[in-house]
Amino acid sequence: MPGPYLCPNCKTNKSRFNLIEQVATPMKLDPQTGDVLEEFSNENTGVMHVSYNGPDYKVQCGVCGLIEDEQTFIKHAEYDQKNS
């Protein structure tokens, strides 16, 4: 966590948050059954598979339950500090 957080939804919570670590598991599914046919490593996903490039973490507000990217909470805290 590079700095303080502020929930952009309830605008009061500055202390209660859940940090959600996102771990992608690349896999190939059977189109008819949905069964897992093959799991790939993150380095070897194959030619027709795009690697996950989303954020490493999501943050959930511990008061209202909003889930957003970590930067959203950080930027709202920075804005609030400037205008205080």
Side-chain angles (χ1 to χ4, degrees):
M1 291 190 313
Y5 289 167
L6 172 63
C7 178
N9 187 48
C10 64
K11 296 176 178 58
T12 57
N13 181 27
K14 296 181 180 183
S15 61
R16 298 182 183 271
F17 300 96
N18 297 311
L19 191 60
I20 304 165
E21 185 175 1
Q22 299 197 146
V23 180
T25 305
M27 62 181 68
K28 182 177 180 180
L29 302 178
D30 183 292
Q32 279 76 39
T33 65
D35 294 337
V36 176
L37 297 177
E38 187 176 0
E39 283 193 32
F40 303 104
S41 69
N42 285 327
E43 295 81 33
N44 184 22
T45 57
V47 177
M48 299 297 290
H49 196 105
V50 176
S51 296
Y52 177 74
N53 61 357
D56 293 334
Y57 295 96
K58 290 275 192 175
V59 175
Q60 181 181 31
C61 175
V63 174
C64 72
L66 176 74
I67 300 174
E68 287 289 338
D69 289 346
E70 184 179 33
Q71 284 299 315
T72 303
F73 287 86
I74 293 169
K75 291 297 181 186
H76 273 78
E78 289 173 358
Y79 180 78
D80 184 61
Q81 286 178 346
K82 285 180 187 176
N83 293 325
S84 294

